[in-house]
Amino acid sequence: NLNNGMSNRANAICPGVRTIGKVSEWFDTSCFMMPAPYQIGNSGLDKAVSPGYVDSDISLSKTANIHEQMSLRVQIDAFNAFNHAYLGHPNTTCCSDTNALFGVITSANGPPRNLQMGVHLAF
């Protein structure tokens, strides 16, 4: 829209942007509009917030003495233990009349649940 090869910001027409929280519409896209040609948009950074990322890793281990100088340790680790789907960032290319994916989340962040087990024999 600036016609100089640079990206532009949208015009924010709402005092605050409401987070809707659906994958098909993460934030209220009606709060943004394309600025007039050759004009810089007035919206600042962080008007729309992406989904959060909280990871839960769990590790359990048990050590057993076999005799005086020998022990066996068994350990299991769970990464993303609760197997939460972590959503990617919403599409922020304005606006809904020119980009049907504006405000839509189309990707995931982070790995699925991963389990690993280990055995350590010390002698």
Side-chain angles (χ1 to χ4, degrees):
N1 202 20
L2 291 175
N3 200 28
N4 65 357
M6 304 283 290
S7 60
N8 193 4
R9 294 184 180 176
N11 274 338
I13 56 175
C14 299
V17 179
R18 181 174 59 99
T19 299
I20 297 171
K22 296 189 296 185
V23 174
S24 61
E25 186 179 15
W26 188 256
F27 57 87
D28 187 2
T29 58
S30 66
C31 288
F32 299 97
M33 63 181 284
M34 188 68 76
Y38 311 109
Q39 299 293 314
I40 296 175
N42 67 1
S43 68
L45 296 175
D46 300 327
K47 286 284 189 180
V49 179
S50 293
Y53 185 91
V54 177
D55 196 7
S56 300
D57 299 334
I58 298 173
S59 180
L60 300 171
S61 68
K62 173 71 176 171
T63 302
N65 291 324
I66 297 172
H67 61 78
E68 291 178 10
Q69 295 180 352
M70 189 178 286
S71 65
L72 181 71
R73 184 177 75 190
V74 177
Q75 181 171 332
I76 187 164
D77 302 313
F79 305 99
N80 188 9
F82 302 113
N83 204 26
H84 288 145
Y86 298 107
L87 302 175
H89 301 293
N91 185 307
T92 57
T93 303
C94 187
C95 287
S96 58
D97 56 341
T98 59
N99 181 10
L101 294 178
F102 182 47
V104 176
I105 295 177
T106 58
S107 65
N109 263 344
R113 180 186 302 134
N114 185 8
L115 301 174
Q116 75 180 21
M117 184 175 171
V119 178
H120 181 82
L121 177 64
F123 54 94

